[in-house]
């Protein structure tokens, strides 16, 4: 290659490293095609790496397929791109193809191969790759050790992961985070916290990982305390922190902290513009009962997903603002946003909480006939609840009988509650018997049936119920009464 070509090659490489969009990729591709550099493995490898970073794998595959003499550098770039974007199996197929062409792998080949095995949660395949690593003497490279730890963590083999981790002379923050996530994922949150406390160098990912693990384990107070420690130590929350800690604030009834997080996210304007962050803020304000604050955020969101609409509709529903929920659904239609089954759960919930019987019937019908969405148990449950609260217990029972799936305890419980409210003891007795069939271990159902029978003076039947309990070894919980 002459001096002029080398200079053009260096220029194209500089262009590639500065490009972040598909348009820039196509422009650069045209540039190196024009100069006859479409077989430069160095340029193609960098081009494919950028395609992988931008999740443009079809483009990367097309360019790679046109290479006549791919080298190890080019194969490594392609294997790594697939390990990031998928299909992950393609990394392994490329490795097999590389060996058939007698191209010798190096240490940079195996870390992405292990990554693909981790993404697939395929322990056996990962062990095969590890065998290749051992045969070629690459097991002491840091990136490969991290890859092995990640494989074990993803496959929930924490004892194996710990052996590799303990043997590592130098552990960076990435491998610490992996181990913490692994222990928390497998239910050993306390060991995850212990490791976190041992870290000398933490990243925002470290904090997010342990806060998320605490929140998912129901340890909200500890999660909030750790979040406050994070701020005290000078770590700025990112979008993951925001969506992790806001539900914690909702559950703990800590609106002041949530509002402070909102203020921070607003000061970093790009955070609020991220759709899933906006959705978390909507959910937080709705659960705190501040639908006005939620609706202000909703209106300011530049990019709304169907989750955004559903969250706001459900927020209105749970706060007794059914008319606003149904109005928002109408607006959703005007904006050509396609509803999903969760949308109709939210809408029917709104009708239940606001007593909108006819509107509920209309919505339930349109879901099936206009939107072609097959009702699930949750939709039937809402309708049974709505009809029952309106005193239409027979219609609610007929709806249960017409369901294409088996009703669960929630549906029979809703019918039972309606029957007791509206004095339909015959249907209530049927509902209780269905509950006993579904939950034979639940002493409360037997006691309820016994009390209902006693109220009608049916003492022989009361004794029969007690016989059922003895036969099924069900004992009455303390504090429950059984008349007669």
């Amino acid at each position: 290659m002459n001096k002029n070509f080398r200079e053009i090659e260096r220029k194209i490489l500089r262009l590639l490293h500065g490009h972040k969009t598909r348009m820039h990729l196509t422009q650069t591709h045209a540039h190196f095609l024009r100069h006859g550099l479409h077989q430069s493995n160095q340029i193609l490898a960098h081009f494919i790496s950028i395609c992988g970073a931008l999740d443009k794998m079809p483009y990367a595959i097309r360019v790679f397929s046109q290479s006549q003499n791919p080298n190890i550098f080019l194969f490594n770039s392609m294997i790594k791109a697939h390990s990031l974007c998928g299909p992950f199996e393609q990394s392994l197929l490329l490795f097999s193809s590389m060996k058939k062409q007698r191209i010798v792998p190096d240490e940079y080949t195996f870390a992405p191969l292990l990554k693909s095995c981790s993404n697939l949660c395929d322990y056996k395949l990962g062990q095969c790759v590890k065998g290749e690593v051992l045969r070629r003497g690459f097991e002491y490279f840091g990136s490969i050790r991290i890859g092995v730890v990640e494989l074990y963590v993803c496959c929930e083999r924490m004892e194996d992961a710990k052996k590799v981790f303990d043997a590592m002379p130098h552990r960076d923050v990435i491998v610490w985070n992996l181990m913490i996530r692994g222990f928390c994922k497998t239910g050993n949150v306390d060991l995850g916290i212990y490791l976190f406390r041992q870290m000398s160098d933490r990243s925002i990912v470290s904090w997010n990982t342990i806060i998320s693990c605490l929140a998912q384990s129901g340890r909200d107070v500890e999660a909030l305390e750790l979040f406050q420690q994070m701020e005290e130590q000078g770590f700025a929350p990112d979008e993951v922190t925001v969506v992790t800690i806001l539900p914690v604030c909702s559950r703990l009834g800590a609106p002041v902290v949530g509002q402070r997080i909102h203020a921070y996210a607003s000061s970093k304007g790009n955070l609020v513009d991220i759709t899933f962050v906006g959705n978390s803020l909507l959910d937080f304000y709705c659960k705190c009962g501040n639908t006005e604050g939620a609706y202000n955020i909703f209106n300011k969101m530049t990019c709304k997903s169907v989750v955004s609409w559903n969250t706001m509709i459900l927020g209105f529903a749970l706060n007794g603002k059914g008319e606003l929920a149904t109005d928002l659904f109408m607006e959703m239609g005007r904006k050509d946003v396609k509803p999903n089954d969760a949308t109709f759960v939210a809408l029917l919930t709104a009708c239940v909480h606001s007593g909108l019987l006819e509107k509920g019937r209309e919505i339930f019908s349109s879901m099936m006939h206009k939107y072609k969405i097959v009702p699930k148990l949750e939709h039937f449950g809402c309708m049974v609840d709505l009809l029952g609260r309106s005193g239409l217990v027979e219609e609610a029972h007929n709806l249960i009988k017409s369901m294409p799936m088996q009703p669960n305890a929630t549906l029979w419980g809703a019918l039972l509650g309606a029957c007791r409210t509206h004095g339909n003891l015959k249907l209530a007795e049927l509902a209780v018997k269905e509950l006993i069939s579904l939950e034979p271990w639940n002493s409360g159902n037997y006691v309820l049936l016994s009390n209902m029978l006693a109220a009608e003076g049916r003492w022989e039947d009361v004794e029969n119920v007690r016989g059922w309990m003895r036969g099924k070894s069900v004992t009455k919980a303390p504090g429950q009464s059984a008349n007669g």
Side-chain angles (χ1 to χ4, degrees), residues 2-73:
N2 61 37
K3 183 178 178 181
N4 187 44
F5 264 53
R6 288 198 184 93
E7 180 57 39
I8 294 170
E9 189 176 58
R10 283 195 291 271
K11 181 180 178 182
I12 291 170
L13 290 172
R14 286 196 298 272
L15 285 171
L16 276 172
H17 285 295
H19 288 169
K20 301 297 181 186
T21 67
R22 173 65 186 261
M23 183 182 294
H24 289 139
L25 277 178
T26 54
Q27 289 172 348
T28 306
H29 189 194
H31 193 57
F32 68 71
L33 283 172
R34 188 164 60 249
H35 289 284
L37 290 169
H38 55 287
Q39 292 301 322
S40 165
N41 281 326
Q42 187 178 15
I43 285 178
L44 293 182
H46 281 84
F47 188 84
I48 285 167
S49 294
I50 302 298
C51 286
L54 295 174
D55 198 12
K56 304 293 182 185
M57 285 310 297
Y59 202 169
I61 292 166
R62 190 163 69 249
V63 169
F64 178 78
S65 67
Q66 293 166 356
S67 173
Q68 295 172 3
N69 296 293
N71 62 4
I72 180 62
F73 189 35

Side-chain angles (χ1 to χ4, degrees), residues 380-440:
F380 282 110
C382 288
M383 282 305 297
V384 168
D385 199 5
L386 178 60
L387 291 167
R389 290 187 187 209
S390 302
L392 303 173
V393 289
E394 292 290 350
E395 186 177 340
H397 182 222
N398 289 334
L399 181 62
I400 291 175
K401 290 192 293 184
S402 73
M403 286 168 51
M405 71 284 284
Q406 286 296 317
N408 60 11
T410 303
L411 266 75
W412 287 115
L415 181 64
L416 172 61
C419 289
R420 295 182 71 193
T421 299
H422 296 284
N424 191 325
L425 294 179
K426 182 179 177 181
L427 203 50
E429 185 179 335
L430 183 149
V432 174
K433 288 179 178 177
E434 292 289 348
L435 282 169
I436 288 172
S437 174
L438 290 167
E439 301 175 337

Side-chain angles (χ1 to χ4, degrees), residues 259-276:
Q259 287 164 0
R260 181 162 53 80
I261 294 168
H262 179 198
Y264 171 82
S266 297
S267 70
K268 306 288 181 183
N270 58 324
L271 288 185
V272 177
D273 289 339
I274 299 171
T275 303
F276 67 84

Side-chain angles (χ1 to χ4, degrees), residues 337-348:
V337 180
K338 186 177 180 181
N340 58 19
D341 59 347
T343 313
F344 287 97
V345 172
L347 282 166
L348 292 171

Side-chain angles (χ1 to χ4, degrees), residues 447 451 476-482:
V447 173
N451 291 344
K476 182 171 68 69
Q480 291 181 322
S481 69

Side-chain angles (χ1 to χ4, degrees), residues 202-252:
R202 297 173 185 142
S203 66
I204 187 64
V205 175
S206 314
W207 291 95
N208 287 343
T209 300
I210 197 67
I211 291 170
S212 175
C213 290
L214 287 167
Q216 290 172 14
S217 302
R219 296 164 67 167
D220 287 337
V221 173
E222 293 172 80
L224 189 57
E225 287 173 352
L226 211 59
F227 169 72
Q228 291 165 339
Q229 288 177 30
M230 184 192 88
E231 288 190 305
E232 288 166 5
Q233 293 185 27
F235 286 87
D238 64 5
E239 63 272 19
V240 176
T241 322
V242 171
V243 300
T244 301
I245 205 66
L246 281 172
V248 171
C249 295
S250 301
R251 291 192 293 269
L252 290 178

Side-chain angles (χ1 to χ4, degrees), residues 92-314:
L92 286 303
L93 293 174
L94 282 164
F95 178 61
S96 178
S97 174
M98 191 176 92
K99 289 200 296 182
K100 286 177 183 176
Q101 295 181 45
R102 300 186 184 280
I103 297 173
V104 179
D106 60 17
E107 66 271 23
Y108 300 106
T109 310
F110 291 102
L113 285 174
L114 288 165
K115 178 75 174 177
S116 287
C117 295
S118 297
N119 289 331
L120 293 167
C121 293
D122 194 324
Y123 175 74
K124 289 184 179 179
L125 195 56
Q127 288 297 88
C128 292
V129 173
K130 187 184 173 187
E132 288 272 1
V133 167
L134 294 172
R135 280 192 291 276
R136 297 177 186 275
F138 294 138
E139 67 268 27
Y140 297 111
F141 283 87
S143 62
I144 289 175
R145 285 187 171 186
I146 291 173
V148 172
V149 169
E150 184 173 19
L151 172 69
Y152 290 148
V153 166
C154 290
C155 296
E156 299 189 3
R157 302 181 71 97
M158 291 310 298
E159 286 187 15
D160 293 333
K162 192 171 186 306
K163 286 176 185 176
V164 179
F165 177 77
D166 289 342
M168 293 175 71
H170 304 291
R171 304 169 191 150
D172 66 11
V173 69
I174 295 172
V175 77
W176 281 92
N177 291 344
L178 283 170
M179 291 298 293
I180 292 167
R181 178 165 62 87
F183 280 122
C184 292
K185 180 183 175 184
T186 53
N188 202 335
V189 179
D190 288 327
L191 190 48
I193 293 170
Y194 172 78
L195 281 180
F196 177 79
R197 298 293 185 197
Q198 301 305 305
M199 291 178 73
S200 57
D201 183 26
R202 297 173 185 142
S203 66
I204 187 64
V205 175
S206 314
W207 291 95
N208 287 343
T209 300
I210 197 67
I211 291 170
S212 175
C213 290
L214 287 167
Q216 290 172 14
S217 302
R219 296 164 67 167
D220 287 337
V221 173
E222 293 172 80
L224 189 57
E225 287 173 352
L226 211 59
F227 169 72
Q228 291 165 339
Q229 288 177 30
M230 184 192 88
E231 288 190 305
E232 288 166 5
Q233 293 185 27
F235 286 87
D238 64 5
E239 63 272 19
V240 176
T241 322
V242 171
V243 300
T244 301
I245 205 66
L246 281 172
V248 171
C249 295
S250 301
R251 291 192 293 269
L252 290 178
V256 175
V257 180
Q259 287 164 0
R260 181 162 53 80
I261 294 168
H262 179 198
Y264 171 82
S266 297
S267 70
K268 306 288 181 183
N270 58 324
L271 288 185
V272 177
D273 289 339
I274 299 171
T275 303
F276 67 84
V277 173
N279 292 344
S280 293
L281 286 166
L282 290 180
D283 184 65
F284 163 72
Y285 279 108
C286 286
K287 285 179 177 173
C288 289
N290 186 353
T291 53
E292 185 178 346
Y295 194 51
N296 286 336
I297 294 167
F298 178 81
N299 285 329
K300 290 175 183 176
M301 289 176 69
T302 54
C303 184
K304 300 181 184 78
S305 65
V306 67
V307 175
S308 314
W309 291 87
N310 292 351
T311 303
M312 195 65 243
I313 290 170
L314 186 60

